[in-house]
Amino acid sequence: MSLYGSMRTGVSGMNAQSNRLGTVAENIANANTTGYKRASTEFSSMILPSGGGNYNSGGVETQVRYSISQQGGFSYTTSGSDLAIDGQGFFIVEGAAGSSYLTRAGSFVPDKNGDLVNTAGYKLLGYPFTNSDPTVVVNGFDGLVPVNVKGSGLKAEATTQATFGVNLPSFADAKGVGVANVSPADNTAYSIYTKKLTVSSQEAGLGMVYTDIYYTKLDDNKWEVTVFENYTGTPSSFPYDLSTGSGIVSASTVLEFDPVTGAILSGNPVLVPDPSDPVIYDFSDISQQVSGTGSAQGIEFAWNLPSDAPLVDTAGGELPASANDPASVAHQKSRLSGYAGFPANMQLDVYFSRTGPTTWEVTAYDPALAAAGGFPYGAAGDPPLATMTLTFDPATGNLVGGGSLSVPLPSGDTLPLDFSQSVSLPDGTPGWTDKIVGSLNLPASAPAVVPYVLGTTPADNLPSSVFNEKSSMVVYDKLGLPVQLDFFYTKGEQGRWEVTVFNHADASPTSGTFPYGLPGSPPLATTVLEFDALGNLVSNGILDVPVPGGETVRVDMSSTGQIGYEFSPGRADVNGMAPSKISGFEIASDGTVFMKYGDGSLDPAYRIALANVQSPDRLRPETGNVYSQSADSGVIVTGFPENGAFGNIRSRTLENSNVDIANELTSMIESQRNYTANSKVFQTASDLLDVLVNLKR
């Protein structure tokens, strides 16, 4: 054993205990430092090679570790800018030189500029609310700015949304005599629609069947599609007779469209008006054209052209429809009229003639050129608008030739007719149902249908207008000025109430109500609320009101009811605000910093971001109780409080240091004892070395 080695080992032990004592001293000194994380000294032995009967003593080395991931306890304060993180994550702060760091020390106070700064002078960073909610940059600090809570100036905000419900007495006397401008699904004499397509068909030896298809815009991106199927042999209109045995059946659906793509978002696009004699009407391919007036995509007929239908008897003098001759015959004729996505009205006669055992001819003509009985269209022998031969597989009945026919219309437009899904099977084959597929574009720019109660009602805005009830609501324009809206409720028939809104500033100075402005001038908005037998609102509960000098306010009246109780307005909740000064701020648990105004309203200004690394205990401590990324800590990931693994923020709370004084005092005593023992090793080796030197003397 080397005496020098023993001395080196003793010195190594004393140095190690000195390091341990240093971390203990630092922990005790920072026992009251907000967010401080305890440091500890870990020991690792150093072994030197030994051989034979000789032993070389090694030593010990130390490594300082920080329990950064260990959360401290909480203490509570009265300052709203004192923040603590309950869970994982670090505040992102900025130093004087502009560098970003991580910290758990949340003792922030506003400085002279209003920036939130902690005790060490680091500024709290967050994402500002600009035109939309802030978006976090996951792998960096781009977009972060100092959180500033300085209150200055005035702020006004226009109202955009309101919730307003009332009870309308079911026993009130009706002031109107029906409802006008209702959709086709209501099937009244006052039903209106946006566009219409009629498909009338007649098979040889059978009566005419009329199908009226109505497309009605109810609201932005919302269309009603209603089908009336009429087997009476004569055309009909509103109101259709839907009584049992009348020969007319109906089905309706409401489709909502994506305002950007025009695709269907919700609603059942498949209708079967008569399950006993089913014909399917499939509107799955309908879209809403975002701009323009709408354009045709075509109509698809998935029909069974019966394989047992009589052939055109050419030997007996009959001719197919394409011959355009008085002797032309067809097994079936269809007339298309009305809207097909074109600006002008469209009319087309389409004939289906069985020309061979496996072939059918489809021919289209302009009805304006038809003779008294149909053929000829124009002069005999004139060519049709378009013609095509469909060829079917005799074994399966599936189409094997032909399919799509582009028909040039007299208006100059082209209408595609698609028969690619049609078949040729014996008439009445089980399992087969005829289908009409309407793949049209509906014009998004079309005006919505606005119902109103018939009679002299508020919607007419005349001095003689009558109503049942009235209430008012205050909203704010773009300058923050209050605007009083007057709501009038007028009972019609069948459990429907007209709701009409006027600007109170336009009211007649003599009556205080009608007329608002000039007699007959339109109200700001009107709609008709419809209730079921139990008094529940079933339609038209949303009303868009353009406020003079302000925004369009979407008023949600879905809580309105009609029961046997007196008229009672509910609470009106509106956003927006009158001009108000900033009086303070509030910080929510998700990190949102709200500016608080004198009227008590809160406006989001910033959202505090948090950051974390894969190994927090290996972050590099810096002056001021902050941390920076090291090679061993892993990359920094940024997010918002309460999202993913990040904790939530507690306002009026500080995180204490995680130092336990009792443990530190115990460690101090252990370090002192071990230091003394190591010094004895050094001293003993030194004494033995003196003896060895004296032997020579």
Side-chain angles (χ1 to χ4, degrees):
M1 173 182 177
S2 169
L3 294 178
Y4 290 110
S6 298
M7 295 176 69
R8 285 195 300 271
T9 300
V11 171
S12 172
M14 288 188 288
N15 285 335
Q17 296 303 323
S18 296
N19 289 341
R20 184 184 185 190
L21 191 60
T23 58
V24 170
E26 182 180 335
N27 291 339
I28 294 175
N30 287 279
N32 293 323
T33 300
T34 299
Y36 174 79
K37 300 302 179 181
R38 176 179 178 271
S40 62
T41 304
E42 301 295 330
F43 296 85
S44 177
S45 61
M46 300 175 63
I47 305 299
L48 297 178
S50 301
N54 296 323
Y55 178 76
N56 292 326
S57 60
V60 63
E61 64 177 352
T62 58
Q63 182 180 19
V64 178
R65 293 185 181 178
Y66 295 88
S67 55
I68 299 174
S69 60
Q70 179 185 352
Q71 181 168 300
F74 295 119
S75 59
Y76 302 96
T77 72
T78 59
S79 173
S81 59
D82 283 339
L83 306 176
I85 301 173
D86 187 1
Q88 299 182 36
F90 297 84
F91 295 112
I92 305 171
V93 293
E94 182 181 84
S99 299
S100 298
Y101 300 93
L102 310 183
T103 187
R104 298 277 292 196
S107 54
F108 298 103
V109 293
D111 65 6
K112 63 180 181 180
N113 298 318
D115 296 333
L116 290 183
V117 179
N118 67 10
T119 307
Y122 290 92
K123 295 180 180 180
L124 178 65
L125 299 183
Y127 292 99
F129 277 83
T130 51
N131 296 328
S132 61
D133 291 346
T135 301
V136 70
V137 178
V138 177
N139 60 342
F141 300 142
D142 294 339
L144 290 170
V145 298
V147 175
N148 188 286
V149 294
K150 183 178 181 180
S152 62
L154 296 171
K155 180 178 180 180
E157 184 177 337
T159 301
T160 58
Q161 292 183 331
T163 302
F164 189 36
V166 301
N167 177 62
L168 301 171
S170 60
F171 50 77
D173 294 332
K175 300 291 185 180
V177 290
V179 179
N181 279 21
V182 293
S183 67
D186 289 274
N187 190 28
T188 75
Y190 306 107
S191 292
I192 64 171
Y193 52 88
T194 308
K195 300 292 182 180
K196 175 185 178 182
L197 174 64
T198 297
V199 180
S200 57
S201 300
Q202 182 177 23
E203 293 185 25
L206 300 177
M208 181 74 75
V209 177
Y210 296 90
T211 301
D212 293 331
I213 305 174
Y214 295 95
Y215 307 87
T216 309
K217 187 176 181 181
L218 303 179
D219 202 348
D220 288 343
N221 311 309
K222 181 184 290 186
W223 289 73
E224 175 191 283
V225 182
T226 303
V227 176
F228 291 92
E229 205 168 47
N230 177 4
Y231 298 93
T232 64
T234 57
S236 184
S237 60
F238 296 111
Y240 290 85
D241 182 4
L242 299 179
S243 61
T244 302
S246 66
I248 304 178
V249 291
S250 176
S252 184
T253 186
V254 175
L255 304 177
E256 290 202 45
F257 296 87
D258 187 304
V260 178
T261 66
I264 295 176
L265 288 179
S266 64
N268 179 18
V270 179
L271 298 178
V272 183
D274 186 4
S276 64
D277 185 17
V279 175
I280 295 175
Y281 298 88
D282 189 345
F283 302 100
S284 302
D285 291 336
I286 281 183
S287 62
Q288 178 182 253
Q289 185 166 309
V290 179
S291 61
T293 58
S295 60
Q297 292 176 311
I299 304 175
E300 178 182 330
F301 297 91
W303 284 352
N304 177 31
L305 301 175
S307 59
D308 51 1
L311 292 168
V312 174
D313 185 8
T314 54
E318 293 181 342
L319 296 175
S322 60
N324 191 22
D325 188 90
S328 292
V329 296
H331 175 75
Q332 181 171 335
K333 173 188 175 182
S334 294
R335 171 166 288 186
L336 309 178
S337 62
Y339 169 70
F342 302 111
N345 185 50
M346 177 274 301
Q347 287 200 343
L348 196 68
D349 281 350
V350 183
Y351 290 91
F352 301 86
S353 304
R354 187 170 179 233
T355 56
T358 60
T359 58
W360 281 77
E361 177 192 272
V362 181
T363 307
Y365 288 96
D366 178 4
L369 303 178
F375 293 105
Y377 286 80
D382 282 353
L385 293 176
T387 187
M388 174 184 61
T389 296
L390 304 178
T391 304
F392 298 90
D393 186 317
T396 64
N398 294 330
L399 186 70
V400 294
S404 183
L405 180 64
S406 294
V407 182
L409 301 177
S411 62
D413 299 299
T414 300
L415 174 63
L417 300 179
D418 186 359
F419 303 94
S420 58
Q421 301 301 314
S422 294
V423 297
S424 183
L425 301 169
D427 194 19
T429 298
W432 176 260
T433 302
D434 288 341
K435 179 188 292 187
I436 295 178
V437 180
S439 53
L440 307 176
N441 268 325
L442 301 172
S445 58
V449 169
V450 180
Y452 62 91
V453 171
L454 286 169
T456 307
T457 69
D460 298 305
N461 191 24
L462 297 174
S464 56
S465 291
V466 294
F467 58 92
N468 293 88
E469 307 291 348
K470 175 192 174 187
S471 64
S472 299
M473 177 174 65
V474 173
V475 297
Y476 300 96
D477 65 13
K478 294 178 180 179
L479 299 178
L481 298 176
V483 177
Q484 179 177 323
L485 301 179
D486 290 343
F487 286 70
F488 292 91
Y489 309 89
T490 309
K491 188 177 182 182
E493 295 178 344
Q494 303 170 344
R496 293 180 175 179
W497 289 73
E498 175 190 290
V499 180
T500 308
V501 186
F502 291 92
N503 180 10
H504 180 76
D506 297 332
S508 168
T510 56
S511 67
T513 55
F514 300 103
Y516 284 80
L518 296 176
S521 59
L524 295 178
T526 185
T527 190
V528 173
L529 304 181
E530 182 178 355
F531 299 89
D532 62 16
L534 300 177
N536 299 313
L537 182 66
V538 295
S539 67
N540 302 329
I542 301 296
L543 184 62
D544 290 327
V545 182
V547 175
E551 304 285 354
T552 296
V553 178
R554 173 149 287 193
V555 181
D556 184 353
M557 302 187 68
S558 57
S559 61
T560 296
Q562 179 194 246
I563 60 175
Y565 189 75
E566 63 183 13
F567 176 75
S568 53
R571 176 181 175 183
D573 292 324
V574 302
N575 65 358
M577 58 185 292
S580 180
K581 290 183 179 180
I582 295 175
S583 62
F585 62 92
E586 296 284 344
I587 300 178
S589 61
D590 65 352
T592 303
V593 180
F594 293 93
M595 305 309 295
K596 188 174 183 180
Y597 291 86
D599 64 353
S601 62
L602 298 174
D603 186 32
Y606 299 91
R607 190 167 184 189
I608 298 170
L610 299 182
N612 208 351
V613 293
Q614 287 83 352
S615 180
D617 292 340
R618 292 183 178 272
L619 286 168
R620 181 183 297 110
E622 306 280 358
T623 302
N625 202 15
V626 297
Y627 306 97
S628 60
Q629 181 182 355
S630 71
D632 297 325
S633 65
V635 298
I636 293 177
V637 178
T638 309
F640 287 127
E642 297 185 345
N643 282 357
F646 291 104
N648 63 285
I649 289 181
R650 292 189 176 190
S651 180
R652 295 179 174 83
T653 307
L654 292 175
E655 181 181 355
N656 301 325
S657 73
N658 57 6
V659 173
D660 187 326
I661 292 294
N663 288 337
E664 298 305 320
L665 292 175
T666 301
S667 297
M668 181 189 300
I669 295 171
E670 290 175 348
S671 297
Q672 179 185 12
R673 183 189 60 192
N674 293 339
Y675 188 95
T676 302
N678 278 283
S679 68
K680 290 297 184 181
V681 171
F682 183 89
Q683 184 178 3
T684 300
S686 177
D687 291 344
L688 291 176
L689 187 59
D690 287 343
V691 172
L692 182 61
V693 171
N694 290 334
L695 288 177
K696 183 177 179 182
R697 299 173 183 169

PDB file of all heavy atoms in Angstrom, residues 305-312 353-361 389-395 397 424-426:
ATOM      1  N   LEU A 305     -85.410  -0.809 -67.489  1.00  0.00           N
ATOM      2  CA  LEU A 305     -86.075  -0.782 -68.791  1.00  0.00           C
ATOM      3  C   LEU A 305     -86.414  -2.235 -69.111  1.00  0.00           C
ATOM      4  O   LEU A 305     -85.542  -3.013 -69.498  1.00  0.00           O
ATOM      5  CB  LEU A 305     -85.145  -0.166 -69.840  1.00  0.00           C
ATOM      6  CG  LEU A 305     -84.701   1.274 -69.519  1.00  0.00           C
ATOM      7  CD1 LEU A 305     -83.689   1.765 -70.546  1.00  0.00           C
ATOM      8  CD2 LEU A 305     -85.906   2.194 -69.467  1.00  0.00           C
ATOM      9  N   PRO A 306     -87.671  -2.642 -68.910  1.00  0.00           N
ATOM     10  CA  PRO A 306     -88.002  -4.073 -68.847  1.00  0.00           C
ATOM     11  C   PRO A 306     -87.637  -4.844 -70.114  1.00  0.00           C
ATOM     12  O   PRO A 306     -87.934  -4.409 -71.237  1.00  0.00           O
ATOM     13  CB  PRO A 306     -89.511  -4.080 -68.595  1.00  0.00           C
ATOM     14  CG  PRO A 306     -89.974  -2.722 -68.944  1.00  0.00           C
ATOM     15  CD  PRO A 306     -88.841  -1.798 -68.721  1.00  0.00           C
ATOM     16  N   SER A 307     -87.023  -5.981 -69.869  1.00  0.00           N
ATOM     17  CA  SER A 307     -86.601  -6.835 -70.987  1.00  0.00           C
ATOM     18  C   SER A 307     -87.788  -7.517 -71.659  1.00  0.00           C
ATOM     19  O   SER A 307     -87.638  -8.088 -72.750  1.00  0.00           O
ATOM     20  CB  SER A 307     -85.609  -7.891 -70.491  1.00  0.00           C
ATOM     21  OG  SER A 307     -86.198  -8.689 -69.472  1.00  0.00           O
ATOM     22  N   ASP A 308     -88.982  -7.494 -71.014  1.00  0.00           N
ATOM     23  CA  ASP A 308     -90.164  -8.108 -71.622  1.00  0.00           C
ATOM     24  C   ASP A 308     -91.123  -7.057 -72.194  1.00  0.00           C
ATOM     25  O   ASP A 308     -92.279  -7.350 -72.495  1.00  0.00           O
ATOM     26  CB  ASP A 308     -90.901  -8.991 -70.606  1.00  0.00           C
ATOM     27  CG  ASP A 308     -91.191  -8.268 -69.299  1.00  0.00           C
ATOM     28  OD1 ASP A 308     -90.838  -7.071 -69.185  1.00  0.00           O
ATOM     29  OD2 ASP A 308     -91.740  -8.903 -68.382  1.00  0.00           O
ATOM     30  N   ALA A 309     -90.652  -5.802 -72.323  1.00  0.00           N
ATOM     31  CA  ALA A 309     -91.483  -4.771 -72.947  1.00  0.00           C
ATOM     32  C   ALA A 309     -91.604  -5.059 -74.449  1.00  0.00           C
ATOM     33  O   ALA A 309     -90.706  -5.686 -75.055  1.00  0.00           O
ATOM     34  CB  ALA A 309     -90.857  -3.398 -72.727  1.00  0.00           C
ATOM     35  N   PRO A 310     -92.684  -4.625 -75.095  1.00  0.00           N
ATOM     36  CA  PRO A 310     -92.836  -4.888 -76.536  1.00  0.00           C
ATOM     37  C   PRO A 310     -91.786  -4.134 -77.348  1.00  0.00           C
ATOM     38  O   PRO A 310     -91.451  -2.990 -77.046  1.00  0.00           O
ATOM     39  CB  PRO A 310     -94.248  -4.384 -76.835  1.00  0.00           C
ATOM     40  CG  PRO A 310     -94.545  -3.410 -75.746  1.00  0.00           C
ATOM     41  CD  PRO A 310     -93.845  -3.915 -74.535  1.00  0.00           C
ATOM     42  N   LEU A 311     -91.298  -4.832 -78.388  1.00  0.00           N
ATOM     43  CA  LEU A 311     -90.343  -4.207 -79.295  1.00  0.00           C
ATOM     44  C   LEU A 311     -91.066  -3.236 -80.237  1.00  0.00           C
ATOM     45  O   LEU A 311     -92.271  -3.348 -80.473  1.00  0.00           O
ATOM     46  CB  LEU A 311     -89.631  -5.280 -80.129  1.00  0.00           C
ATOM     47  CG  LEU A 311     -88.678  -6.218 -79.382  1.00  0.00           C
ATOM     48  CD1 LEU A 311     -88.296  -7.386 -80.278  1.00  0.00           C
ATOM     49  CD2 LEU A 311     -87.440  -5.456 -78.946  1.00  0.00           C
ATOM     50  N   VAL A 312     -90.308  -2.297 -80.748  1.00  0.00           N
ATOM     51  CA  VAL A 312     -90.847  -1.441 -81.808  1.00  0.00           C
ATOM     52  C   VAL A 312     -91.129  -2.327 -83.032  1.00  0.00           C
ATOM     53  O   VAL A 312     -90.223  -3.005 -83.548  1.00  0.00           O
ATOM     54  CB  VAL A 312     -89.858  -0.318 -82.162  1.00  0.00           C
ATOM     55  CG1 VAL A 312     -90.374   0.474 -83.361  1.00  0.00           C
ATOM     56  CG2 VAL A 312     -89.639   0.599 -80.962  1.00  0.00           C
ATOM     57  N   SER A 353     -87.344   3.672 -76.218  1.00  0.00           N
ATOM     58  CA  SER A 353     -87.920   2.724 -77.182  1.00  0.00           C
ATOM     59  C   SER A 353     -87.084   1.447 -77.176  1.00  0.00           C
ATOM     60  O   SER A 353     -85.855   1.502 -77.304  1.00  0.00           O
ATOM     61  CB  SER A 353     -87.925   3.324 -78.598  1.00  0.00           C
ATOM     62  OG  SER A 353     -88.608   4.563 -78.621  1.00  0.00           O
ATOM     63  N   ARG A 354     -87.764   0.297 -77.017  1.00  0.00           N
ATOM     64  CA  ARG A 354     -87.046  -0.985 -77.076  1.00  0.00           C
ATOM     65  C   ARG A 354     -86.894  -1.377 -78.543  1.00  0.00           C
ATOM     66  O   ARG A 354     -87.859  -1.755 -79.214  1.00  0.00           O
ATOM     67  CB  ARG A 354     -87.796  -2.064 -76.303  1.00  0.00           C
ATOM     68  CG  ARG A 354     -87.000  -3.363 -76.197  1.00  0.00           C
ATOM     69  CD  ARG A 354     -87.632  -4.341 -75.247  1.00  0.00           C
ATOM     70  NE  ARG A 354     -86.868  -5.578 -75.188  1.00  0.00           N
ATOM     71  CZ  ARG A 354     -87.366  -6.797 -75.370  1.00  0.00           C
ATOM     72  NH1 ARG A 354     -88.665  -6.944 -75.638  1.00  0.00           N
ATOM     73  NH2 ARG A 354     -86.593  -7.860 -75.299  1.00  0.00           N
ATOM     74  N   THR A 355     -85.664  -1.288 -79.048  1.00  0.00           N
ATOM     75  CA  THR A 355     -85.400  -1.499 -80.468  1.00  0.00           C
ATOM     76  C   THR A 355     -84.893  -2.889 -80.786  1.00  0.00           C
ATOM     77  O   THR A 355     -84.800  -3.257 -81.959  1.00  0.00           O
ATOM     78  CB  THR A 355     -84.375  -0.474 -80.958  1.00  0.00           C
ATOM     79  OG1 THR A 355     -83.200  -0.565 -80.146  1.00  0.00           O
ATOM     80  CG2 THR A 355     -84.937   0.940 -80.867  1.00  0.00           C
ATOM     81  N   GLY A 356     -84.540  -3.677 -79.759  1.00  0.00           N
ATOM     82  CA  GLY A 356     -84.043  -5.020 -79.996  1.00  0.00           C
ATOM     83  C   GLY A 356     -84.109  -5.829 -78.725  1.00  0.00           C
ATOM     84  O   GLY A 356     -84.430  -5.309 -77.639  1.00  0.00           O
ATOM     85  N   PRO A 357     -83.799  -7.141 -78.798  1.00  0.00           N
ATOM     86  CA  PRO A 357     -83.894  -7.995 -77.601  1.00  0.00           C
ATOM     87  C   PRO A 357     -83.046  -7.477 -76.441  1.00  0.00           C
ATOM     88  O   PRO A 357     -83.410  -7.671 -75.273  1.00  0.00           O
ATOM     89  CB  PRO A 357     -83.409  -9.360 -78.106  1.00  0.00           C
ATOM     90  CG  PRO A 357     -83.656  -9.321 -79.583  1.00  0.00           C
ATOM     91  CD  PRO A 357     -83.429  -7.911 -80.004  1.00  0.00           C
ATOM     92  N   THR A 358     -81.921  -6.817 -76.735  1.00  0.00           N
ATOM     93  CA  THR A 358     -81.034  -6.340 -75.664  1.00  0.00           C
ATOM     94  C   THR A 358     -80.724  -4.855 -75.801  1.00  0.00           C
ATOM     95  O   THR A 358     -79.788  -4.372 -75.167  1.00  0.00           O
ATOM     96  CB  THR A 358     -79.713  -7.138 -75.670  1.00  0.00           C
ATOM     97  OG1 THR A 358     -79.062  -6.955 -76.936  1.00  0.00           O
ATOM     98  CG2 THR A 358     -79.964  -8.607 -75.406  1.00  0.00           C
ATOM     99  N   THR A 359     -81.484  -4.147 -76.610  1.00  0.00           N
ATOM    100  CA  THR A 359     -81.159  -2.734 -76.831  1.00  0.00           C
ATOM    101  C   THR A 359     -82.375  -1.843 -76.579  1.00  0.00           C
ATOM    102  O   THR A 359     -83.522  -2.213 -76.867  1.00  0.00           O
ATOM    103  CB  THR A 359     -80.653  -2.489 -78.259  1.00  0.00           C
ATOM    104  OG1 THR A 359     -81.660  -2.920 -79.198  1.00  0.00           O
ATOM    105  CG2 THR A 359     -79.360  -3.220 -78.505  1.00  0.00           C
ATOM    106  N   TRP A 360     -82.069  -0.668 -76.026  1.00  0.00           N
ATOM    107  CA  TRP A 360     -83.065   0.387 -75.837  1.00  0.00           C
ATOM    108  C   TRP A 360     -82.485   1.672 -76.400  1.00  0.00           C
ATOM    109  O   TRP A 360     -81.303   1.967 -76.231  1.00  0.00           O
ATOM    110  CB  TRP A 360     -83.384   0.594 -74.347  1.00  0.00           C
ATOM    111  CG  TRP A 360     -84.329  -0.424 -73.774  1.00  0.00           C
ATOM    112  CD1 TRP A 360     -84.033  -1.689 -73.414  1.00  0.00           C
ATOM    113  CD2 TRP A 360     -85.708  -0.232 -73.502  1.00  0.00           C
ATOM    114  NE1 TRP A 360     -85.126  -2.342 -72.926  1.00  0.00           N
ATOM    115  CE2 TRP A 360     -86.194  -1.457 -72.956  1.00  0.00           C
ATOM    116  CE3 TRP A 360     -86.605   0.821 -73.665  1.00  0.00           C
ATOM    117  CZ2 TRP A 360     -87.521  -1.631 -72.573  1.00  0.00           C
ATOM    118  CZ3 TRP A 360     -87.924   0.650 -73.271  1.00  0.00           C
ATOM    119  CH2 TRP A 360     -88.378  -0.562 -72.734  1.00  0.00           C
ATOM    120  N   GLU A 361     -83.367   2.441 -77.034  1.00  0.00           N
ATOM    121  CA  GLU A 361     -82.960   3.731 -77.568  1.00  0.00           C
ATOM    122  C   GLU A 361     -83.490   4.831 -76.650  1.00  0.00           C
ATOM    123  O   GLU A 361     -84.650   4.809 -76.236  1.00  0.00           O
ATOM    124  CB  GLU A 361     -83.522   3.906 -78.973  1.00  0.00           C
ATOM    125  CG  GLU A 361     -83.212   5.261 -79.602  1.00  0.00           C
ATOM    126  CD  GLU A 361     -84.036   5.466 -80.859  1.00  0.00           C
ATOM    127  OE1 GLU A 361     -83.573   5.051 -81.925  1.00  0.00           O
ATOM    128  OE2 GLU A 361     -85.158   6.032 -80.746  1.00  0.00           O
ATOM    129  N   THR A 389     -78.086   4.632 -77.894  1.00  0.00           N
ATOM    130  CA  THR A 389     -78.562   3.261 -77.742  1.00  0.00           C
ATOM    131  C   THR A 389     -77.903   2.631 -76.521  1.00  0.00           C
ATOM    132  O   THR A 389     -76.674   2.655 -76.366  1.00  0.00           O
ATOM    133  CB  THR A 389     -78.248   2.422 -78.984  1.00  0.00           C
ATOM    134  OG1 THR A 389     -78.963   2.967 -80.106  1.00  0.00           O
ATOM    135  CG2 THR A 389     -78.673   0.973 -78.782  1.00  0.00           C
ATOM    136  N   LEU A 390     -78.737   2.066 -75.648  1.00  0.00           N
ATOM    137  CA  LEU A 390     -78.258   1.345 -74.468  1.00  0.00           C
ATOM    138  C   LEU A 390     -78.311  -0.142 -74.777  1.00  0.00           C
ATOM    139  O   LEU A 390     -79.334  -0.655 -75.248  1.00  0.00           O
ATOM    140  CB  LEU A 390     -79.135   1.649 -73.255  1.00  0.00           C
ATOM    141  CG  LEU A 390     -79.290   3.127 -72.865  1.00  0.00           C
ATOM    142  CD1 LEU A 390     -80.244   3.253 -71.675  1.00  0.00           C
ATOM    143  CD2 LEU A 390     -77.946   3.743 -72.533  1.00  0.00           C
ATOM    144  N   THR A 391     -77.222  -0.844 -74.512  1.00  0.00           N
ATOM    145  CA  THR A 391     -77.145  -2.286 -74.759  1.00  0.00           C
ATOM    146  C   THR A 391     -76.958  -3.003 -73.431  1.00  0.00           C
ATOM    147  O   THR A 391     -76.097  -2.622 -72.620  1.00  0.00           O
ATOM    148  CB  THR A 391     -75.978  -2.625 -75.695  1.00  0.00           C
ATOM    149  OG1 THR A 391     -76.127  -1.873 -76.910  1.00  0.00           O
ATOM    150  CG2 THR A 391     -75.951  -4.108 -76.017  1.00  0.00           C
ATOM    151  N   PHE A 392     -77.752  -4.077 -73.218  1.00  0.00           N
ATOM    152  CA  PHE A 392     -77.740  -4.781 -71.945  1.00  0.00           C
ATOM    153  C   PHE A 392     -77.308  -6.227 -72.135  1.00  0.00           C
ATOM    154  O   PHE A 392     -77.550  -6.840 -73.183  1.00  0.00           O
ATOM    155  CB  PHE A 392     -79.131  -4.742 -71.295  1.00  0.00           C
ATOM    156  CG  PHE A 392     -79.597  -3.353 -70.966  1.00  0.00           C
ATOM    157  CD1 PHE A 392     -80.330  -2.607 -71.892  1.00  0.00           C
ATOM    158  CD2 PHE A 392     -79.294  -2.781 -69.743  1.00  0.00           C
ATOM    159  CE1 PHE A 392     -80.757  -1.324 -71.595  1.00  0.00           C
ATOM    160  CE2 PHE A 392     -79.724  -1.490 -69.441  1.00  0.00           C
ATOM    161  CZ  PHE A 392     -80.450  -0.763 -70.362  1.00  0.00           C
ATOM    162  N   ASP A 393     -76.697  -6.781 -71.089  1.00  0.00           N
ATOM    163  CA  ASP A 393     -76.307  -8.190 -71.081  1.00  0.00           C
ATOM    164  C   ASP A 393     -77.573  -9.031 -70.940  1.00  0.00           C
ATOM    165  O   ASP A 393     -78.327  -8.860 -69.969  1.00  0.00           O
ATOM    166  CB  ASP A 393     -75.352  -8.451 -69.914  1.00  0.00           C
ATOM    167  CG  ASP A 393     -74.789  -9.870 -69.929  1.00  0.00           C
ATOM    168  OD1 ASP A 393     -75.555 -10.812 -70.182  1.00  0.00           O
ATOM    169  OD2 ASP A 393     -73.584 -10.021 -69.665  1.00  0.00           O
ATOM    170  N   PRO A 394     -77.864  -9.964 -71.864  1.00  0.00           N
ATOM    171  CA  PRO A 394     -79.113 -10.733 -71.777  1.00  0.00           C
ATOM    172  C   PRO A 394     -79.168 -11.649 -70.557  1.00  0.00           C
ATOM    173  O   PRO A 394     -80.257 -12.015 -70.117  1.00  0.00           O
ATOM    174  CB  PRO A 394     -79.118 -11.535 -73.086  1.00  0.00           C
ATOM    175  CG  PRO A 394     -77.681 -11.604 -73.505  1.00  0.00           C
ATOM    176  CD  PRO A 394     -77.058 -10.334 -73.048  1.00  0.00           C
ATOM    177  N   ALA A 395     -78.000 -12.026 -70.016  1.00  0.00           N
ATOM    178  CA  ALA A 395     -77.988 -12.945 -68.874  1.00  0.00           C
ATOM    179  C   ALA A 395     -78.213 -12.207 -67.560  1.00  0.00           C
ATOM    180  O   ALA A 395     -78.984 -12.653 -66.700  1.00  0.00           O
ATOM    181  CB  ALA A 395     -76.666 -13.714 -68.834  1.00  0.00           C
ATOM    182  N   GLY A 397     -78.743  -8.613 -67.321  1.00  0.00           N
ATOM    183  CA  GLY A 397     -79.522  -7.387 -67.441  1.00  0.00           C
ATOM    184  C   GLY A 397     -78.722  -6.127 -67.206  1.00  0.00           C
ATOM    185  O   GLY A 397     -79.268  -5.023 -67.276  1.00  0.00           O
ATOM    186  N   SER A 424     -81.883  -3.940 -67.505  1.00  0.00           N
ATOM    187  CA  SER A 424     -83.003  -4.425 -68.317  1.00  0.00           C
ATOM    188  C   SER A 424     -83.364  -5.815 -67.813  1.00  0.00           C
ATOM    189  O   SER A 424     -82.731  -6.813 -68.173  1.00  0.00           O
ATOM    190  CB  SER A 424     -82.625  -4.464 -69.805  1.00  0.00           C
ATOM    191  OG  SER A 424     -83.728  -4.860 -70.593  1.00  0.00           O
ATOM    192  N   LEU A 425     -84.366  -5.871 -66.932  1.00  0.00           N
ATOM    193  CA  LEU A 425     -84.836  -7.109 -66.316  1.00  0.00           C
ATOM    194  C   LEU A 425     -86.334  -7.242 -66.588  1.00  0.00           C
ATOM    195  O   LEU A 425     -87.005  -6.258 -66.923  1.00  0.00           O
ATOM    196  CB  LEU A 425     -84.581  -7.082 -64.803  1.00  0.00           C
ATOM    197  CG  LEU A 425     -83.126  -6.912 -64.349  1.00  0.00           C
ATOM    198  CD1 LEU A 425     -83.072  -6.646 -62.851  1.00  0.00           C
ATOM    199  CD2 LEU A 425     -82.309  -8.149 -64.695  1.00  0.00           C
ATOM    200  N   PRO A 426     -86.890  -8.434 -66.420  1.00  0.00           N
ATOM    201  CA  PRO A 426     -88.341  -8.575 -66.589  1.00  0.00           C
ATOM    202  C   PRO A 426     -89.084  -7.627 -65.659  1.00  0.00           C
ATOM    203  O   PRO A 426     -88.646  -7.363 -64.528  1.00  0.00           O
ATOM    204  CB  PRO A 426     -88.599 -10.045 -66.245  1.00  0.00           C
ATOM    205  CG  PRO A 426     -87.293 -10.729 -66.555  1.00  0.00           C
ATOM    206  CD  PRO A 426     -86.230  -9.737 -66.194  1.00  0.00           C
TER     207      PRO A 426
END
